[in-house]
Amino acid sequence: MRLEDLRGRSVAVWGTGREGRAAVTAIAKRGPARLIAVDDSANYLATPWEDAFAALAPLAGGEHAQAALYTADVVVRSPGVPLTHPYLVELRNRGVTVTSGTALWMAANAAKTVGVTGSKGKSTTSSLISHLLAAVGQPNAYGGNIGIPLLDLPESDLYVLELSSYQCADLSDSPRVAVVTSLFPEHLDSHGSEEAYYRDKLNLLGYGPELIVVNAEDERLRDEIRRVIDSSGFPPVPAAAEDSRFRVEDGTVFCSDEPLFPRSALTLKGKHNERNLSVALAVLDGMGVDVVGRRDELEAAVRSFRGLPHRLTEIEDASGLTFVDDTLSTSPYSAIHAIEAYENRPLTVLVGGADRGLDYAPLRAFLEPRTLTVIGLPDSGPRILSELATLPGVRTQLAEDLFDAVRIAREVTPAGGVVLLSPAAPSYGRFRNFEHRSEAFLQAITDTTK
């Protein structure tokens, strides 16, 4: 379904955040017979929905929300609406078409789009692909999950998008180039199960992309895509593994047997970022860029690339400690990647946040041979620490809050060591969002300075 297909139909846009506003603006231009915005949250009266938006689509909330959805021909779901929402089941039983702004946009622009998803690494990899393409003379518009809503993107000959599992779930068109960086259990509360999460995430690959590139080091991802092929019948292009065309070995980035440039050109720490770089280079190669012939330009671009905020962002401190903001770490797997990046230095890790009932056994298995300190934060911190309690090299301690955790970390971390905020849990509950948690971390570092 395209935006043009909404002309003359009754359309309900479900969600009033930035995605919902972008959808209302775009759909209103197509002349629907009825356009209404729906907010079924308990605090819908606090939604600032007035002026231009109210003129385009009246807001239905509270007891009117359900009726507005059930009487529509098409419901455009915002990514924030959980895929387990009971209204969705009833909508499909009634034969109401459910789509999203992402799906509507992709239907018209898939042929000129690179779409990147993954449980970890999608933000860095997509922004790196965009950066490298621009460096070799292929300007592009970048957006998606962390940037501009797709329906607000400017016209461009090429797009590079970061796509969440919520955005991938409703797609009925695959981008020309589809990329998956990793796969592990995430957002199960919104998807309903691990199987459903993988299905929704990998829906990106389901409609014949011309090129598929994946991180071949991820065993779970390899298992889930064994039968996946592109539009020409070829399996996904593997990157980052020892036998991949693009990989990092012995401090050098390789294309087959040809050394491209030193790994040190990439300022981002961690083996996971080496994999992200390998995937990005494989994408450029698959899109026809002469990676070997243009290695000097690509090396310069890699050297100029800076990591995104809240992802292993280092904060130097007068004490000699290095504080690291990795507040976007919301799972044990992302915390593992972060710890791995600093395992050669004395390390104190701050973990804990909203408790989604995640299994922290993988974190325990990773830490079993290691020596470090782990400080637990509310609310899931105590449960995480109980999982680690018997590990011989892991010292654990509970903190009352983030300020207390930073204070303790200053006391127990050896000189020259690292204090890593990689919570392995979401921020909501104690903080407004991950940015708020990051601000609190920075403030705690300042306030505990002696």
Side-chain angles (χ1 to χ4, degrees), residues 189-203:
D189 49 344
S190 293
H191 290 269
S193 68
E194 186 172 333
E195 180 183 20
Y197 168 69
Y198 296 158
R199 179 197 65 221
D200 292 338
K201 174 74 79 174
L202 297 176
N203 190 48

Side-chain angles (χ1 to χ4, degrees), residues 295-308:
R295 74 181 84 189
D296 292 343
E297 295 165 83
L298 290 169
E299 178 180 353
V302 169
R303 288 187 182 279
S304 68
F305 182 75
R306 295 293 173 262
L308 300 170

Side-chain angles (χ1 to χ4, degrees), residues 31 65 111 186 202 204 259 305 316 349 363-364 406 414:
E186 263 280 39
L202 297 176
L204 182 75
F305 182 75
E316 296 299 331
V349 186
L363 181 61
R364 175 189 169 84
V406 171

Side-chain angles (χ1 to χ4, degrees), residues 422-434:
S422 191
S427 56
Y428 53 79
R430 300 274 171 165
F431 302 96
R432 294 188 301 274
N433 47 40
F434 69 86

